[in-house]
Amino acid sequence: MRGRRPLEALNFFVADVQAGIGPFLGVFLQSAGWRTGAIGTVMTIGGVAGLLVTAPAGAVVDATRYKRLAIVVSSICTVIASCIVWYAHSFPMVVLSQVATAIAGALLGPAIAGVTLGMARARGFDRQFGRNQVANHAGNVVGAGVSGFIGWRFGFGGVFLVAAVFGVLAVVSTLLIPADAIDHRAARGLESDDGDNGDAPSGVSILVTCRPLLILAAALALFHLGNAAMLPLYGMAVVAAHQAEPSSFTALTIVVAQLVMVGTSLLAMRLIRTRGYWQVILVTFLALPLRGALAAFFINRWGVFPVQVLDGIGAGLQSVAVPALVARLMQGTGRVNVAQGAVMTMQGVGAALSPALGGWLAETIGFHGAFLCLGAVSMGSLGLWWGGRARLHEVRTGG
């Protein structure tokens, strides 16, 4: 496949760009005197802004032939928005930074998925997207490790510098992807790039009439409502207990999870082909209640290993299985990236509400109770997923 190496390099470098400074934000603001409730609130505001534009961003990706430009502009905007936090710690400026980061990041996911589908086509998408995720998680490991070391050695300013360097390299990688290697009809789930020939896209009503897609989206919303706050909250809990140095410990939480994600991403496609999408995603929903229980009772430096291994298993499998399942459900409709954006929006609903929920729970009933409550939320995901097993078992993997 032409352009495969630059595509995988893009996924490697964009890992440290896509969410801005990510989990470092919580401990950075905490060191600046912010309370957990306020930290959770600004994260939620950013998440809400992102979810409002994710589905429209998918529609833009379906319609445009300038997918590489969308990735370049989003990467640059994300780095600039993240750096605002370094210079201004006021509530309005941090909110502005998080909103801008979320909006730019909302375009990156569908754009990269669309470019991958346009290059690999439907038959090769599952395999190539799995390779993308291996590169992405490896980039998270390297980015977090370098950020943690530089943050420990030179202060939090080093974290922002690393994000900027990764942003530049993500832009370079994008520009190295040959423009003519992307089939723009295939990129939206149609069969060929024949101009006005071939099948026309389906109406957007397909998003609300495809029952398996609705079940997937709702289950993921509940999963992320419980899951998204755990990493930043766990970092704050350990630091508040004076169990670790902030920047190096935050980096450790990321590295442990991302190393596991590299392995589970490699394993995901094999499991999908042998067990099917439904069983693979079921495992991710089962991991969250156990993660919440472990986080509640092991608030110390060493607790990061079991807590983040479970995060790596769940997120690593989902990062491959969910986009692959959406592409399979929407194949032939011409609405693949709108659907990817719609599912990301539902994930974003849960993820946006999670930091505020976790932050206020931690202030009200303490970190222990907050982790148990967040883990219990995922029981709704399990109920929905089990109820939809008959329909989802019918979805076949690609050849």
Side-chain angles (χ1 to χ4, degrees), residues 115-195:
V115 167
T116 303
L117 185 56
M119 294 172 68
R121 314 300 196 273
R123 188 173 183 86
F125 178 78
D126 290 7
R127 177 178 175 82
Q128 184 56 48
F129 202 84
R131 295 173 65 95
N132 288 0
Q133 290 306 304
V134 171
N136 188 270
H137 297 315
N140 267 313
V141 171
V142 174
V146 173
S147 296
F149 173 77
I150 293 188
W152 166 74
R153 184 68 177 81
F154 301 105
F156 270 112
V159 175
F160 296 89
L161 177 62
V162 172
V165 171
F166 271 58
V168 171
L169 294 174
V171 169
V172 172
S173 300
T174 303
L175 297 177
L176 289 175
I177 298 173
D180 60 356
I182 305 169
D183 181 330
H184 292 282
R185 282 182 63 82
R188 65 185 302 172
L190 297 176
E191 295 303 319
S192 61
D193 195 6
D194 296 327

Side-chain angles (χ1 to χ4, degrees), residues 142-350:
V142 174
V146 173
S147 296
F149 173 77
I150 293 188
W152 166 74
R153 184 68 177 81
F154 301 105
F156 270 112
V159 175
F160 296 89
L161 177 62
V162 172
V165 171
F166 271 58
V168 171
L169 294 174
V171 169
V172 172
S173 300
T174 303
L175 297 177
L176 289 175
I177 298 173
D180 60 356
I182 305 169
D183 181 330
H184 292 282
R185 282 182 63 82
R188 65 185 302 172
L190 297 176
E191 295 303 319
S192 61
D193 195 6
D194 296 327
D196 293 330
N197 298 325
D199 296 332
S202 303
V204 293
S205 61
I206 189 69
L207 301 181
V208 294
T209 57
C210 179
R211 188 170 178 81
L213 186 70
L214 295 176
I215 294 171
L216 173 67
L220 288 171
L222 287 173
F223 174 86
H224 284 277
L225 178 61
N227 188 68
M230 281 203 186
L231 174 54
L233 203 63
Y234 191 73
M236 288 187 280
V238 174
V239 170
H242 305 290
Q243 294 288 316
E245 189 276 329
S247 61
S248 61
F249 179 77
T250 303
L252 179 64
T253 65
I254 302 169
V255 168
V256 171
Q258 294 295 330
L259 281 174
V260 176
M261 289 179 202
V262 171
T264 52
S265 295
L266 286 168
L267 185 61
M269 289 319 305
R270 179 178 297 180
L271 290 175
I272 287 170
R273 293 181 187 280
T274 57
R275 298 292 183 181
Y277 295 106
W278 184 82
Q279 289 191 32
V280 172
I281 296 176
L282 176 66
V283 171
T284 71
F285 294 152
L286 290 169
L288 183 56
L290 181 57
R291 185 185 181 214
L294 289 173
F297 295 106
F298 293 94
I299 300 180
N300 57 60
R301 183 177 181 84
W302 302 110
V304 67
F305 293 100
V307 169
Q308 289 304 94
V309 163
L310 286 170
D311 184 39
I313 292 171
L317 292 176
Q318 277 192 16
S319 69
V320 177
V322 170
L325 176 55
V326 172
R328 190 67 53 200
L329 290 169
M330 293 291 104
Q331 186 58 34
T333 66
R335 300 294 181 182
V336 170
N337 295 298
V338 179
Q340 298 281 16
V343 170
M344 290 178 188
T345 297
M346 292 302 294
Q347 290 175 297
V349 170

Side-chain angles (χ1 to χ4, degrees), residues 97-122:
S97 167
Q98 291 307 289
V99 169
T101 298
I103 292 173
L107 188 59
L108 279 172
I112 294 173
V115 167
T116 303
L117 185 56
M119 294 172 68
R121 314 300 196 273

